[in-house]
Amino acid sequence: MSYALSTTLHTTFEDAVERTRKALADQGFGVLTEIDMKATLKAKLGEDIEDYLILGACNPPLAHRAVNADRQIGLLLPCNVAVRADTSGEKGTVIVDAMDPQIMVQVSDRPGMREIADEAAAKLRAAIDSL
C-alpha cells in the first residue's frame, strides 16, 4: 500500500504552497505546523536541498473522532503534507504529497477507525485533486 496521496504541479514553489494551503482549507483542514526542511537542514547541517516544506494539516472534527477511537493515534497526527520541488523533473515542477490516512487503519484496529480514515482520505484526496 502506498502511504501518500500525490500530485505534480507545473508552477512556482510559492504558488504550489499557496494553492495547497487553500485546497486544505477548502476541505476543513487547518495548518498547525510548518517545517521548512530546506532552511532547517541548511542551518543545522550546512546542507543544501531543494525547496521542501512540510505542512501539518488537521481537520479538528476528524482528529477528535480519531483520538476518541484510539488515544495513541495522536502519534500519527496531524496529517503531514509535503510540498517539494521536483529535482528529477523540469524546472518549475512541484510535487505535493499528503500522508494517506489509511495508514491509521494499518496501525489501529479500533472500532470506527476505518470510517474516520476513509473520510479523512476522501477529504485529502479532494484537496490534492483540486490542485
Side-chain angles (χ1 to χ4, degrees):
M1 172 183 175
S2 172
Y3 57 93
L5 307 172
S6 303
T7 194
T8 301
L9 306 176
H10 299 285
T11 187
T12 65
F13 181 76
E14 294 75 17
D15 181 60
V17 169
E18 183 178 321
R19 288 168 54 187
T20 300
R21 287 180 187 279
K22 181 181 181 327
L24 289 168
D26 289 347
Q27 293 299 318
F29 289 87
V31 175
L32 302 178
T33 60
E34 183 176 310
I35 302 168
D36 183 337
M37 291 296 292
K38 180 178 182 174
T40 299
L41 294 178
K42 183 65 173 178
K44 302 292 183 184
L45 302 176
E47 297 290 337
D48 290 311
I49 68 166
E50 71 276 10
D51 289 326
Y52 195 122
L53 187 68
I54 302 172
L55 304 173
C58 179
N59 180 297
L62 291 174
H64 181 249
R65 287 172 46 204
V67 170
N68 279 338
D70 183 346
R71 286 292 199 233
Q72 287 185 325
I73 208 69
L75 295 168
L76 299 177
L77 300 177
C79 295
N80 284 324
V81 179
V83 182
R84 58 190 172 90
D86 183 3
T87 58
S88 65
E90 65 185 68
K91 187 173 172 67
T93 303
V94 181
I95 298 170
V96 180
D97 294 314
M99 182 197 79
D100 188 340
Q102 296 300 329
I103 296 297
M104 293 188 301
V105 177
Q106 292 182 346
V107 174
S108 175
D109 60 354
R110 298 288 173 98
M113 192 59 70
R114 179 166 303 284
E115 292 78 14
I116 297 164
D118 288 347
E119 190 174 338
K123 289 180 178 296
L124 281 173
R125 171 53 61 204
I128 294 293
D129 288 349
S130 75
L131 295 172

